[in-house]
Amino acid sequence: TYKEIKDIMIKSQSYLLLTLMGIFFLSSCKKDDGPIDNSYTIPTTYNFENVSYDGQTQRLAMFTEFKTYMKSANSSGTTLDENRLAAMYANDAANAQWIGTYDESKQMRGKTFEPVQSVFDGLLIDLATASQSTEAGTNGIAGVVQSNDGAKNYLLNENGLELGQVIEKALMGALLYYQSTGVYMESGKMDVDNETITAGEGTDMEHHWDEAFGYFGVPIDFPTNTDNVIFWGDYCNDRDALIGTNKTIMDAFLKGRAAISNKDLDARDEAIQTAREGWELVVVGSALHYLNSGLENFDDMALRAHSLSEAIGFVYALQFNPIKKIKNAQVEEILTLIGGTDNIANANIYNAEIANVQAAKDQLADWFSLTDKKDEF
């Protein structure tokens, strides 16, 4: 009836009035932190005051020497010293035989995601053991395998795994990617003092952000300047044409640092999200690239092993982003499709099947909405 409708309208208006009064009351009680100054300038290069990431620069240089030494085993007759590999990983300077000079407190092992440090210890032993072979590599026998055209040589273990590539790419994830996205961008390093300035380093929060940037491996004027990009910076640049990650990630690092210096923590958190998501796409794109390469060269054992070993390392690396889109169970599924097991030390490339490698590629692309680009990587 009209009266009933009128009563409902009166009650609705009363409820709305009470709701608005409640919102006003809550708003008036909320602590006023004062306005955020959003007028600050975000520079076009990583040229801020009081920036230091020397520890990261040293570790990248150590990693470069470590990588070079591992790759030397691709030459027939070159045997790797197990003790030297371990010493380089843990920066035991007396046995590492470094070319460069590094602070004794800087090492790679101690910054690797702790639960998998022993995985790399074992892989280094396996690599040294494989390098001792005096035979040509074949199914069941470790040794150097040559590409069909004779242009490439790779040391493979008895399962056709190029351990040097697996170690490098997996460690790029468990060390560099993990430290930047999973340590320095996390609360423990971000929810810290942002008032007290230390000369040359800035505030604690600024310094931690700079250290996160240091692990990315790019110059301060990237991507205008792509000279001397290393590790993730190099692979980001390689994938940029397809997924545009150069500018996305660099802009996130610039925005985050400027936001921290201007106490704009909302913008900082947005930059963290963007950097993590963009970096994950670089890892995925790199895995897809080497799956494509493995499929294209499947009949050439040396090239197949080289490419799929890299793919295994990149897929393994996907684990180490705290907001990753992919689940660990999915990482294990992809690893199993490529090498028959989710244990990267036991993957078998000799027994790899084209259909399974194709399925790994298809699933990975689908999970990241890259199906339309999967053949282009």
Side-chain angles (χ1 to χ4, degrees):
T1 64
Y2 172 77
K3 183 178 184 302
E4 289 172 334
I5 295 173
K6 184 177 180 182
D7 288 343
I8 291 171
M9 292 179 65
I10 291 172
K11 289 178 180 178
S12 298
Q13 291 170 351
S14 299
Y15 176 77
L16 178 60
L17 179 61
L18 288 170
T19 300
L20 292 172
M21 290 176 65
I23 293 172
F24 176 79
F25 176 76
L26 289 172
S27 299
S28 65
C29 291
K30 183 179 178 181
K31 180 181 177 182
D32 185 6
D33 293 323
I36 295 172
D37 181 7
N38 291 314
S39 64
Y40 57 87
T41 300
I42 300 174
T44 57
T45 67
Y46 208 89
N47 188 22
F48 299 92
E49 293 183 359
N50 297 309
V51 171
S52 173
Y53 46 87
D54 180 66
Q56 287 63 42
T57 301
Q58 287 193 49
R59 288 189 188 90
L60 291 179
M62 293 162 69
F63 201 164
T64 300
E65 284 199 49
F66 182 60
K67 168 185 172 181
T68 300
Y69 182 57
M70 289 193 295
K71 283 190 173 182
S72 69
N74 290 337
S75 299
S76 297
T78 300
T79 301
L80 300 178
D81 184 334
E82 177 185 321
N83 293 325
R84 184 183 178 191
L85 285 168
M88 295 178 90
Y89 184 38
N91 193 16
D92 171 9
N95 297 300
Q97 302 175 45
W98 295 118
I99 296 172
T101 301
Y102 309 112
D103 189 295
E104 62 181 10
S105 68
K106 310 302 178 188
Q107 60 166 280
M108 293 182 288
R109 189 181 190 278
K111 292 295 183 178
T112 301
F113 183 59
E114 187 172 2
V116 301
Q117 289 175 7
S118 61
V119 172
F120 290 97
D121 294 338
L123 287 169
L124 292 175
I125 292 171
D126 292 346
L127 174 59
T129 300
S131 75
Q132 294 169 9
S133 174
T134 58
E135 301 183 59
T138 189
N139 195 351
I141 299 175
V144 174
V145 177
Q146 191 173 76
S147 61
N148 291 346
D149 63 4
K152 301 290 185 179
N153 295 285
Y154 302 114
L155 172 67
L156 310 182
N157 73 356
E158 68 278 8
N159 291 329
L161 201 62
E162 188 185 352
L163 288 166
Q165 287 295 341
V166 173
I167 293 167
E168 178 194 343
K169 272 56 183 190
L171 193 57
M172 282 171 59
L175 168 59
L176 309 180
Y177 184 49
Y178 162 66
Q179 281 293 321
S180 186
T181 67
V183 175
Y184 284 101
M185 291 183 186
E186 277 285 85
S187 174
K189 294 290 187 179
M190 284 290 99
D191 296 335
V192 294
D193 177 66
N194 195 29
E195 298 293 337
T196 307
I197 296 175
T198 299
E201 292 188 353
T203 67
D204 287 347
M205 193 186 299
E206 288 174 330
H207 184 51
H208 292 162
W209 185 262
D210 296 339
E211 291 180 301
F213 172 71
Y215 279 116
F216 190 44
V218 299
I220 63 171
D221 51 350
F222 181 79
T224 301
N225 174 18
T226 58
D227 293 339
N228 302 314
V229 289
I230 57 175
F231 296 111
W232 286 117
D234 186 22
Y235 287 98
C236 180
N237 190 50
D238 287 344
R239 307 285 87 80
D240 184 61
L242 281 177
I243 52 179
T245 45
N246 279 2
K247 189 174 188 305
T248 296
I249 298 175
M250 189 63 180
D251 282 356
F253 274 117
L254 295 172
K255 175 182 176 179
R257 183 52 154 84
I260 289 170
S261 297
N262 288 277
K263 311 296 189 295
D264 187 354
L265 301 190
D266 287 341
R268 177 205 67 181
D269 292 345
E270 291 171 1
I272 289 172
Q273 183 79 9
T274 301
R276 284 170 162 172
E277 290 177 352
W279 202 328
E280 185 178 28
L281 276 180
V282 173
V283 188
V284 173
S286 298
L288 289 171
H289 173 79
Y290 286 104
L291 288 170
N292 277 332
S293 179
L295 288 166
E296 291 165 7
N297 297 286
F298 209 82
D299 293 332
D300 187 323
M301 187 56 212
L303 298 184
R304 180 212 301 184
H306 177 69
S307 296
L308 294 187
S309 295
E310 293 200 70
I312 285 171
F314 278 121
V315 171
Y316 184 85
L318 281 166
Q319 300 173 81
F320 303 104
N321 183 332
I323 66 152
K324 61 184 183 292
K325 185 174 182 179
I326 194 169
K327 298 178 175 62
N328 286 348
Q330 293 172 321
V331 169
E332 293 170 358
E333 184 179 344
I334 296 297
L335 291 173
T336 301
L337 283 169
I338 301 169
T341 175
D342 60 10
N343 183 339
I344 59 174
N346 295 331
N348 193 308
I349 306 303
Y350 283 114
N351 294 340
E353 298 180 9
I354 289 180
N356 287 340
V357 175
Q358 182 67 49
K361 168 187 163 181
D362 292 344
Q363 288 187 26
L364 194 58
D366 180 57
W367 287 333
F368 285 89
S369 302
L370 293 170
T371 299
D372 61 331
K373 298 179 180 180
K374 65 182 180 183
D375 296 329
E376 300 177 54
F377 282 98

